[in-house]
Amino acid sequence: MKQPSLVFVCQNLRDPDAIQGSCMRRGSKDVLERLKQLRVELGLKTQLRVMGCTCLGPCESGVTVLVVDDEGGATYYGRMDVATADALMREHVLAGEPGEAQRRHRLPKDNLLDLSALEGHEDPDAQAAEEKKAS
């Protein structure tokens, strides 16, 4: 089992009108709490650190999660939620590579702002803005 040593979950909070959105407003606190809970449930407390952090950079794709391990280096994931947090632990941490559920959320290393991998995973901030306009 390839074991990541660090998982960072963006906890940045921006103004509600910020164009790039905010991971905290998209539910990053719940993602962080779930990953920490899974770490304990899976018996990985001594091998894996799960931490909240400030901005990871690709804000438009938030909730953003960064997994750092010896073999794969840094892997960024976007549009994470509690369900995809479970998949991250099953696929990336336990199986050693992103499976189908995580592959759709992995951001390209050469362009973290390329959101094409996230097709079908709508930005909740954009949805809220559209609903606000409609009312």
Side-chain angles (χ1 to χ4, degrees), residues 42-64:
L42 296 171
L44 301 173
K45 197 168 181 181
T46 60
Q47 298 96 344
L48 179 65
R49 300 256 342 228
V50 177
M51 298 175 280
C53 64
T54 59
C55 186
L56 289 168
C59 305
E60 293 83 352
S61 67
V63 169
T64 305

Side-chain angles (χ1 to χ4, degrees), residues 32-132:
L32 176 62
E33 288 174 4
R34 181 62 181 148
L35 287 170
K36 285 183 173 186
Q37 178 185 19
L38 287 167
R39 174 181 154 248
V40 172
E41 287 176 12
L42 296 171
L44 301 173
K45 197 168 181 181
T46 60
Q47 298 96 344
L48 179 65
R49 300 256 342 228
V50 177
M51 298 175 280
C53 64
T54 59
C55 186
L56 289 168
C59 305
E60 293 83 352
S61 67
V63 169
T64 305
V65 173
L66 170 61
V67 179
V68 180
D69 58 53
D70 290 338
E71 293 179 33
T75 306
Y76 284 83
Y77 294 95
R79 295 285 190 270
M80 296 293 289
D81 57 23
V82 172
T84 54
D86 285 14
L88 177 88
M89 291 300 262
R90 261 192 334 274
E91 296 175 2
H92 193 128
V93 175
L94 295 177
E97 63 182 70
E100 190 55 39
Q102 284 307 114
R103 201 168 286 123
R104 293 185 314 252
H105 293 270
R106 189 171 48 194
L107 300 173
K109 287 184 181 200
D110 59 339
N111 183 1
L112 295 176
L113 296 178
D114 176 359
L115 305 181
S116 61
L118 302 174
E119 280 185 31
H121 298 280
E122 296 302 316
D123 177 359
D125 287 343
Q127 288 175 341
E130 287 299 317
E131 290 170 7
K132 189 176 178 181

